[in-house]
C-alpha cells in the first residue's frame, strides 16, 4: 500500500497556505494582461503581439479628505464596487488597445495589398503601407507617447498626474524590423516575384474550397472597415498621410463616450440577466410576491445564483475568456507569492494555488446570498398593501424596482463580510464556511496560467509595489525633516 500523501486541492491550500504578509493590493484579469491596484496607483501589464510586456501606471485620487463618509462601514463597499467597475473598464480599454493593435494593423495592411492586387495598384498600396509604418516607427502616434518610462517626480505626485511606463527589457513594438523593410525596394514598391498558385487566375472548379482565394479574387473586404480605393499616386499619398497623422481624442478607437456607453450597456444587461429575468421566472413558478414571500425570495435567489454560475461556465468555453481566466489565476499566484515574502518570479509564483481567499468572486457570490436575507426582511408587503398595488405586472415591477434600489445596501454588507472580516481571518472555521461558495466559483473563473501570464501579473504588481515604496520613502523623509 502506497504511503505517498495525496496532494492537497487548491481550495485547501488557499486556506492553509495563506501568506503571513497580508496585502491590500488587489487585481483583475484582462484580455492578455493583468491589472493590479494599490493605495496610490493602479497598473497594467499586457502581453503585446510581438511578445513584449506593455506596462502602464495611473495615480489613484483619494477623496477621503473631502468625502470621509464614503469610507464609513457599509458605504465603503458601494464606493469600492463603483471604483472597481470604472477602473476595470479603463484597464480593459488599455489591454484591448495594446494586445490587439498590431494584429489589426497587419490585417489592414494585408487587406490593402490584397485589394491592390485586384485593381492593379500593388506599388501604390505598398507605398501607403510603408508610409503608415514609417510614421508609427517615428513615434508620431499616441501609442508612442504612452511608451514613456514611468519616472514620477515630486511635482507629478503632488498633482496626481498618471504616467505611462515601459519595462526596460522590452523593445518598442512599433519599431520596424529590417526584415519587413527589405520587403520593398528603394522606391517603396513591392518586389516583383514569380506568380504563385494563389496569384493565378481564379477558377470556380479549383478554388471553390479555398475561401481566402475566393475573397481576394472577388475583391471582398475581410473586415468591417471603410475602404477607399486609391485612383492615383497622389490620392494614395494623401490617404497615407491622413492615416499616419496622430488621432485626436475624438477619433480614438475607444474613447470616453464609448467607454461610458459600454459601462451603461453592461449594467443594463446585468440588471436584466440577474434581477429581471429571475424575478419574472419566479413570478411564473411561485405566484404573487405577497402571497408567498419567503418561498418567492428563496426561489428567486437560487435562480439568480444558477443563472450566474451558468453564465460564467458558458463564457468560460470561449478561447479568449479561457485565457483571461488564466490571467486571473496568474494574478492570484502573484499575490500569494508576495504575501509569502518570496521574490516575484514566475518560478516562485508558479508553486502557489490559483485560488485566493480575498478574491472578488467570493464577493459576488456573497452578494447573491446576502440578497436573499435582505429581500426577505424588507417590509415590501406593507408598501404593496399601503399603495394598493394590483397583481400582475405592476406588483412585479415594484418588486424589481425594490431589488435594484437595495443593491447598494447588499453590496455594502457583503463587502464588510467577505473583504473586511473574512479576508482578514482566513483561519477562522466560520470564515471557511462563509467563503466556501465563492471559493468553489473560483474553479470556474481561474485557470492554471503559463509563465507568460505570470510575467504580466508580476510586471503590474511591481509597478504598484515600487510606487508604494516611493511613497513610504517620501513619508520617512518628511518625518525625519519634521524631527530635525
Amino acid at each position: 500500500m502506497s504511503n505517498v500523501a495525496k496532494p492537497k486541492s487548491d481550495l485547501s491550500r488557499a486556506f492553509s497556505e495563506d501568506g503571513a504578509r497580508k496585502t491590500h493590493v488587489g487585481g483583475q484579469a484582462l484580455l492578455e494582461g493583468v491589472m493590479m491596484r494599490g493605495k496610490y496607483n493602479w497598473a497594467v501589464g499586457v502581453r503585446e503581439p510581438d511578445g513584449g510586456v506593455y506596462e502602464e501606471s495611473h495615480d489613484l485620487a483619494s477623496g477621503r479628505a473631502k468625502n470621509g463618509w464614503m469610507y464609513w462601514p457599509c458605504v465603503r463597499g458601494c464606493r469600492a464596487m463603483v471604483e472597481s467597475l470604472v477602473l476595470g473598464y479603463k484597464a480593459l480599454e488599455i489591454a484591448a488597445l495594446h494586445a490587439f493593435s498590431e494584429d489589426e494593423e497587419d490585417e489592414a495592411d494585408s487587406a490593402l495589398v490584397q485589394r491592390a492586387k485586384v485593381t492593379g495598384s500593388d506599388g501604390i498600396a505598398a507605398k501607403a503601407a510603408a508610409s503608415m509604418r514609417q510614421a508609427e516607427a517615428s513615434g508620431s502616434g499616441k501609442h508612442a507617447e504612452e511608451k514613456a518610462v514611468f519616472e514620477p517626480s515630486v511635482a507629478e505626485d503632488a498633482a496626481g498626474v498618471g504616467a505611462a511606463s515601459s519595462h526596460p527589457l522590452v523593445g518598442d513594438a512599433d519599431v520596424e524590423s529590417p526584415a519587413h523593410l527589405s520587403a520593398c525596394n528603394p522606391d517603396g514598391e513591392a518586389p516583383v516575384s514569380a506568380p504563385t498558385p494563389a496569384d493565378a487566375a481564379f477558377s470556380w472548379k479549383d478554388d471553390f474550397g479555398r475561401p481566402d482565394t475566393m475573397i481576394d479574387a472577388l475583391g471582398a473586404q475581410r473586415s468591417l472597415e471603410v475602404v477607399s480605393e486609391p485612383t492615383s499616386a497622389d490620392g494614395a499619398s494623401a490617404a497615407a498621410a491622413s492615416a499616419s497623422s496622430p488621432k485626436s481624442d475624438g477619433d480614438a478607437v475607444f474613447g470616453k463616450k464609448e467607454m461610458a456607453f459600454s459601462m451603461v450597456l453592461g449594467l443594463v444587461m446585468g440588471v436584466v440577466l440577474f434581477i429581471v429575468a429571475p424575478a419574472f421566472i419566479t413570478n411564473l413558478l411561485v405566484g404573487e410576491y405577497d402571497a408567498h414571500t419567503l418561498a418567492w425570495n428563496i426561489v428567486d435567489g437560487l435562480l439568480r445564483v444558477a443563472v450566474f454560475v451558468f453564465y460564467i461556465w458558458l463564457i468560460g468555453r470561449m478561447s479568449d475568456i479561457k485565457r483571461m481566466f488564466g490571467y486571473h489565476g496568474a494574478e492570484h499566484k502573484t499575490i500569494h507569492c508576495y504575501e509569502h515574502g518570496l521574490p516575484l518570479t514566475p518560478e516562485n509564483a508558479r508553486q502557489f494555488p490559483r485560488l485566493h481567499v480575498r478574491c472578488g468572486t467570493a464577493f459576488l457570490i456573497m452578494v447573491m446570498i446576502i440578497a436573499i436575507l435582505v429581500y426577505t426582511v424588507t417590509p415590501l408587503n406593507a408598501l404593496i398593501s399601503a399603495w394598493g398595488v394590483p397583481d400582475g405586472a405592476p406588483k412585479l415591477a415594484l418588486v424589481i424596482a425594490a431589488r435594484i434600489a437595495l443593491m447598494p445596501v447588499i453590496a455594502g454588507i457583503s463587502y464588510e463580510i467577505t473583504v473586511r472580516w473574512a479576508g482578514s481571518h482566513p483561519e477562522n472555521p466560520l470564515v471557511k464556511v462563509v467563503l466556501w461558495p465563492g471559493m468553489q466559483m473560483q474553479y470556474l473563473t481561474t485557470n492554471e496560467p503559463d509563465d507568460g501570464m505570470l510575467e504580466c501579473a508580476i510586471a503590474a504588481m511591481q509597478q504598484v509595489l515600487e510606487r508604494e515604496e516611493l511613497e513610504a520613502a517620501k513619508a520617512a523623509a518628511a518625518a525625519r525633516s519634521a524631527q530635525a
Side-chain angles (χ1 to χ4, degrees):
M1 190 173 181
S2 174
N3 293 326
V4 178
K6 184 179 179 181
K8 290 184 177 181
S9 67
D10 275 1
L11 178 60
S12 61
R13 290 185 62 198
F15 280 116
S16 62
E17 300 177 16
D18 192 45
R21 179 198 292 174
K22 301 298 187 294
T23 179
H24 54 271
V25 177
Q28 175 181 324
L30 309 173
L31 293 171
E32 296 301 326
V34 173
M35 182 268 281
M36 291 288 188
R37 174 183 175 178
K39 286 183 179 179
Y40 306 101
N41 70 326
W42 60 275
V44 296
V46 181
R47 180 68 63 185
E48 293 187 304
D50 68 345
V53 178
Y54 175 81
E55 301 179 21
E56 186 170 324
S57 174
H58 293 273
D59 286 349
L60 280 171
S62 175
R64 188 160 193 162
K66 296 181 179 179
N67 302 304
W69 62 272
M70 296 184 67
Y71 292 81
W72 293 351
C74 290
V75 178
R76 58 192 175 191
C78 303
R79 174 191 56 79
M81 184 173 67
V82 173
E83 286 182 353
S84 297
L85 286 173
V86 173
L87 294 184
Y89 270 94
K90 289 182 179 178
L92 284 170
E93 176 190 3
I94 295 172
L97 183 63
H98 294 282
F100 305 108
S101 58
E102 189 171 285
D103 290 340
E104 294 172 355
E105 291 166 359
D106 291 343
E107 290 177 3
D109 290 348
S110 176
L112 183 60
V113 173
Q114 293 291 348
R115 189 170 182 82
K117 287 181 179 180
V118 180
T119 60
S121 315
D122 298 54
I124 297 173
K127 287 180 179 178
S131 299
M132 287 187 285
R133 289 298 190 195
Q134 184 178 1
E136 290 177 0
S138 64
S140 60
K142 178 182 178 182
H143 181 68
E145 296 175 356
E146 292 174 344
K147 292 283 186 175
V149 177
F150 176 46
E151 295 179 352
S153 63
V154 176
E156 288 175 333
D157 291 337
V161 179
S165 65
S166 178
H167 197 283
L169 299 180
V170 179
D172 192 338
D174 292 333
V175 176
E176 197 65 70
S177 63
H180 184 80
L181 291 177
S182 63
C184 298
N185 60 28
D187 295 330
E189 298 185 357
V192 180
S193 58
T196 62
D199 297 327
F202 174 74
S203 167
W204 285 103
K205 177 180 179 181
D206 298 332
D207 298 325
F208 184 75
R210 299 166 61 189
D212 290 343
T213 304
M214 295 175 63
I215 292 173
D216 296 339
L218 297 174
Q221 289 180 237
R222 293 176 179 267
S223 59
L224 295 177
E225 55 185 346
V226 179
V227 177
S228 58
E229 182 177 334
T231 55
S232 64
D234 294 339
S237 301
S242 175
S244 61
S245 60
K247 292 184 178 182
S248 64
D249 293 339
D251 297 331
V253 176
F254 194 77
K256 293 182 179 180
K257 292 183 179 179
E258 289 79 5
M259 186 176 72
F261 176 78
S262 179
M263 288 181 62
V264 172
L265 182 62
L267 290 174
V268 171
M269 290 181 63
V271 168
V272 171
L273 191 60
F274 300 116
I275 295 182
V276 176
F280 179 78
I281 296 173
T282 301
N283 214 51
L284 294 177
L285 296 176
V286 180
E288 295 298 330
Y289 179 85
D290 53 345
H292 313 280
T293 303
L294 180 60
W296 210 100
N297 285 315
I298 292 175
V299 172
D300 175 67
L302 293 177
L303 281 174
R304 193 180 303 111
V305 173
V307 169
F308 178 69
V309 173
F310 177 72
Y311 172 78
I312 294 296
W313 175 85
L314 187 63
I315 65 172
R317 306 304 98 193
M318 302 167 60
S319 60
D320 287 342
I321 302 300
K322 279 184 179 180
R323 286 191 57 81
M324 183 157 59
F325 287 170
Y327 280 102
H328 191 190
E331 173 221 326
H332 287 177
K333 286 175 177 281
T334 300
I335 293 178
H336 272 302
C337 185
Y338 173 76
E339 291 178 334
H340 281 75
L342 297 178
L344 293 179
T345 64
E347 294 75 18
N348 288 336
R350 193 188 308 133
Q351 62 183 300
F352 293 102
R354 73 179 199 260
L355 309 185
H356 200 288
V357 294
R358 286 176 289 282
C359 176
T361 306
F363 172 75
L364 293 176
I365 292 295
M366 183 57 62
V367 164
M368 297 184 180
I369 296 174
I370 295 296
I372 299 176
L373 301 176
V374 173
Y375 293 151
T376 302
V377 301
T378 300
L380 188 58
N381 289 341
L383 290 178
I384 293 175
S385 300
W387 294 348
V389 181
D391 292 344
K395 189 175 292 184
L396 178 61
L398 176 62
V399 172
I400 293 174
R403 274 157 162 64
I404 296 174
L406 288 170
M407 282 306 299
V409 177
I410 297 168
I413 297 173
S414 303
Y415 180 84
E416 297 300 323
I417 294 175
T418 58
V419 178
R420 307 296 295 192
W421 174 67
S424 302
H425 303 85
E427 70 286 347
N428 190 315
L430 182 58
V431 168
K432 296 182 180 181
V433 175
V434 171
L435 294 183
W436 187 86
M439 298 296 289
Q440 292 294 326
M441 275 298 300
Q442 290 185 47
Y443 279 112
L444 293 179
T445 61
T446 62
N447 289 326
E448 280 294 329
D450 55 36
D451 284 358
M453 296 174 179
L454 290 170
E455 288 174 358
C456 290
I458 290 172
M461 184 75 167
Q462 286 176 333
Q463 292 184 83
V464 171
L465 296 178
E466 288 171 4
R467 178 61 181 276
E468 300 205 346
E469 291 173 0
L470 177 64
E471 294 296 333
K474 288 181 181 179
R480 288 193 300 267
S481 175
Q483 291 177 355

